[in-house]
Amino acid sequence: MRIYYFAWVRDHIGYSQEDIHCPETVKTISQLAAFLSQQSAGHAKAFDDLNAVRAAINQEFVNSDKSVKDTDEIAFFPPVTGG
Amino acid sequence: MRIYYFAWVRDHIGYSQEDIHCPETVKTISQLAAFLSQQSAGHAKAFDDLNAVRAAINQEFVNSDKSVKDTDEIAFFPPVTGG
Amino acid sequence: MIKINIQPEDFDVTSEIKSLRCRAIGAIATFSGIVRENSDSKSLISLTLEHYPGMSEKALDKIARQAMQEWPIESVRIIHRIGRLTPEDNIVFVGCASAHRHAAFDGCRFIMDFLKTDAPFWKAEETKQGTAWVSQRETDTSAKQGWLSGKK
Amino acid sequence: MIKINIQPEDFDVTSEIKSLRCRAIGAIATFSGIVRENSDSKSLISLTLEHYPGMSEKALDKIARQAMQEWPIESVRIIHRIGRLTPEDNIVFVGCASAHRHAAFDGCRFIMDFLKTDAPFWKAEETKQGTAWVSQRETDTSAKQGWLSGKK
């Protein structure tokens, strides 16, 4: 599973993308975030407040209960501030 | 009294401005229009439908019951269509 | 700052937008009105615009001031062309600059709506059938009424 | 016609407006977003904009299509700059062309409101106090909600 990070989510984690093999128990975005938060102190900080983090699957915004699969492109980032 | 005409009001009358000395009985825009409509066949045509004509006194839109005086700059024209 | 011109000449939107800029602003909304080839299914050859010199400048200035009273707008630019225009020519430009985008949008739209009903300009349309003065559109008077009744 | 660019380069509004023109249109509404020097009373040195390549183009395209479904809009142009910008630089341009002015205004405003909430861009502000990511503004999410609830 390819995962991208943007803005302060990336700053905390320290890099902008990684390829992850998740355990079978990770079925949704929120379970993936919980799994990722155990990978490093940076990950823990990035996912500390899940209300502050948004996610996309295959470049579409999704809610945290959305299912993920290994071939998906996942992204985690703060609420957007463009324009 | 200096009077200006614009658009089809001017086309009917045949010229764009004139200086008029009104009788004492002409006290309002509608009385002035009635007086002017007797000046020529062109004037009569221009003021044939008073609902279709708008007026300004000293470059401000006014209603037909507005008072006029000899030193005013008066204008008659159709509803505006700019922009 | 309000700047108004009534002129036969065309205008350049980039330079007009530049003239609206200052450090306090973050948003510029503009409107460009353009001569359409087809009007009510008649094919247009030209439009001729005339105005009431003196009154038209005053009327536009009053509309711009009303917009600046209603919203936090830093600057307003209005250009209205006169004379003979052909399809695809610019007719009118309105630009509003503000710190925030909604004030810029509201101001620009308000100025266009009131310009249509409160500024002394008249259009004559030339088609194959001849030349005729354009009638006022009911949708334009109702757009103004919308602002006056609080609908935006 | 929809044309979208995400680029570090600046843009020229006159040429963008030209690209929106066609014989059917009579109205072009545009919005230019500009870097403000002062944001929440801090003096800004620079803004750095990043985006999610691939998703940001798709998100803007989807917003433009929604606008064209809602109103009779002939063409939409969106440019969003990325990278480091300083006060008075352009950030974003939206242009909508239509036969009629209210569709052009509505479409342009709709696209800006949804761009603020539905397109994956992020701003970091550099001030004397350091560099910090900008938080989402509640007024931006409520502007989008206004459209969804029918308030315009």
Side-chain angles (χ1 to χ4, degrees), chain A residues 4-8 10-11 54-56 58-61 73-75 77-83, chain D residues 50-55 58 62 80 91-92 115-123 133-136:
Chain A
Y4 291 99
Y5 304 113
F6 294 98
W8 56 252
R10 179 203 50 235
D11 290 351
R54 300 288 178 273
N58 300 323
Q59 307 190 346
E60 297 275 351
F61 291 105
E73 173 182 314
I74 311 287
F77 42 74
V80 304
T81 57
Chain D
E50 74 169 63
H51 73 128
Y52 182 172
M55 180 172 171
K58 276 186 208 170
K62 186 177 168 186
H80 203 303
I91 308 174
V92 64
L115 183 155
K116 288 269 181 184
T117 56
D118 289 12
F121 290 86
W122 300 274
K123 279 191 196 94
W133 291 98
V134 175
S135 301
Q136 198 172 37

Side-chain angles (χ1 to χ4, degrees), chain D residues 15 30-31 36 39 42-43 51 56 58-59 70 83 86 92 95 97 103 120 125 132 143 149-150:
Chain D
S15 14
T30 77
F31 178 82
R36 268 190 298 156
S39 168
K42 294 188 301 271
S43 188
H51 73 128
S56 50
K58 276 186 208 170
E70 190 76 20
T86 53
V92 64
E125 282 185 346
S149 65

Side-chain angles (χ1 to χ4, degrees), chain C residues 12-14 21 23 25-26 28-32 34 36-37 88 90 101-102 106 109 113 140, chain D residues 12-14 21 23 25-26 28-32 34 36-37 88 90 101-102 106 109 113 140 152:
Chain C
D12 175 69
V13 179
T14 301
R21 278 160 178 275
R23 288 239 152 180
I25 64 128
I28 297 177
T30 77
F31 179 81
S32 304
I34 293 153
R36 267 190 298 155
E37 194 180 25
E88 299 191 58
N90 290 314
R101 75 183 185 282
H102 289 135
D106 281 337
R109 187 174 181 143
D113 283 351
D140 287 331
Chain D
D12 175 70
V13 179
T14 301
R21 279 160 176 275
R23 289 238 152 180
I25 65 128
I28 297 178
T30 77
F31 178 82
S32 304
I34 294 154
R36 268 190 298 156
E37 194 179 26
E88 298 192 57
N90 289 315
R101 74 183 184 283
H102 289 137
D106 281 336
R109 187 174 182 144
D113 282 351
D140 287 331
K152 288 180 183 177

Side-chain angles (χ1 to χ4, degrees), chain C:
Chain C
M1 190 212 68
I2 296 173
K3 195 176 167 203
I4 292 166
N5 283 92
I6 296 166
Q7 60 187 44
E9 294 80 24
D10 198 10
F11 48 82
D12 175 69
V13 179
T14 301
S15 14
E16 297 312 329
I17 286 186
K18 237 168 235 160
S19 77
L20 285 164
R21 278 160 178 275
C22 59
R23 288 239 152 180
I25 64 128
I28 297 177
T30 77
F31 179 81
S32 304
I34 293 153
V35 181
R36 267 190 298 155
E37 194 180 25
N38 288 293
S39 169
D40 305 328
S41 84
K42 293 188 303 271
S43 187
L44 188 81
I45 298 165
S46 76
L47 271 188
T48 301
L49 276 131
E50 75 169 63
H51 73 128
Y52 182 172
M55 179 172 172
S56 50
E57 292 84 349
K58 276 185 208 169
L60 294 178
D61 185 68
K62 187 176 167 187
I63 295 166
R65 280 171 203 280
Q66 282 175 312
M68 293 179 88
Q69 261 163 22
E70 190 77 20
W71 296 282
I73 293 168
E74 298 298 323
S75 43
V76 172
R77 180 77 177 105
I78 305 176
I79 305 173
H80 203 303
R81 291 182 73 190
I82 49 172
R84 188 174 186 273
L85 304 174
T86 54
E88 299 191 58
D89 280 348
N90 290 314
I91 309 175
V92 64
F93 175 82
V94 173
C96 278
S98 172
H100 300 289
R101 75 183 185 282
H102 289 135
F105 274 125
D106 281 337
C108 191
R109 187 174 181 143
F110 173 95
I111 290 169
M112 271 310 301
D113 283 351
F114 278 72
L115 182 155
K116 288 269 179 184
T117 56
D118 289 12
F121 291 86
W122 300 274
K123 279 190 196 95
E125 281 185 346
E126 180 195 356
T127 64
K128 279 178 193 162
Q129 287 77 50
T131 297
W133 291 98
V134 175
S135 301
Q136 198 171 38
R137 297 164 65 105
E138 199 280 318
T139 51
D140 287 331
T141 49
S142 63
K144 172 188 166 182
Q145 286 307 317
W147 289 104
L148 298 175
S149 66
K151 177 192 78 71
K152 286 180 183 175

Side-chain angles (χ1 to χ4, degrees), chain D residues 6-136:
Chain D
I6 296 165
Q7 61 188 42
E9 294 79 24
D10 197 11
F11 48 81
D12 175 70
V13 179
T14 301
S15 14
E16 297 312 330
I17 286 187
K18 237 168 235 160
S19 77
L20 285 164
R21 279 160 176 275
C22 59
R23 289 238 152 180
I25 65 128
I28 297 178
T30 77
F31 178 82
S32 304
I34 294 154
V35 180
R36 268 190 298 156
E37 194 179 26
N38 288 293
S39 168
D40 306 327
S41 83
K42 294 188 301 271
S43 188
L44 189 80
I45 298 165
S46 76
L47 271 188
T48 300
L49 276 130
E50 74 169 63
H51 73 128
Y52 182 172
M55 180 172 171
S56 50
E57 292 85 350
K58 276 186 208 170
L60 294 178
D61 185 68
K62 186 177 168 186
I63 295 166
R65 279 170 203 282
Q66 283 175 312
M68 293 180 88
Q69 262 163 21
E70 190 76 20
W71 296 282
I73 293 168
E74 299 298 323
S75 43
V76 172
R77 181 77 176 106
I78 305 176
I79 305 173
H80 203 303
R81 292 182 74 189
I82 49 173
R84 188 173 185 273
L85 303 174
T86 53
E88 298 192 57
D89 280 348
N90 289 315
I91 308 174
V92 64
F93 175 81
V94 173
C96 277
S98 172
H100 301 289
R101 74 183 184 283
H102 289 137
F105 275 124
D106 281 336
C108 191
R109 187 174 182 144
F110 173 95
I111 290 169
M112 272 309 301
D113 282 351
F114 278 72
L115 183 155
K116 288 269 181 184
T117 56
D118 289 12
F121 290 86
W122 300 274
K123 279 191 196 94
E125 282 185 346
E126 181 195 356
T127 64
K128 279 180 192 161
Q129 288 77 49
T131 298
W133 291 98
V134 175
S135 301
Q136 198 172 37

Side-chain angles (χ1 to χ4, degrees), chain B residues 46-83:
Chain B
F47 291 104
D48 179 47
D49 177 9
L50 284 178
N51 287 322
V53 179
R54 301 288 179 271
I57 299 178
N58 300 324
Q59 307 190 346
E60 296 275 352
F61 291 105
V62 293
N63 292 323
S64 59
D65 57 358
K66 194 79 177 181
S67 304
V68 295
K69 54 181 195 296
D70 209 49
T71 52
D72 285 337
E73 173 181 314
I74 311 287
F76 291 101
F77 42 74
V80 304
T81 57

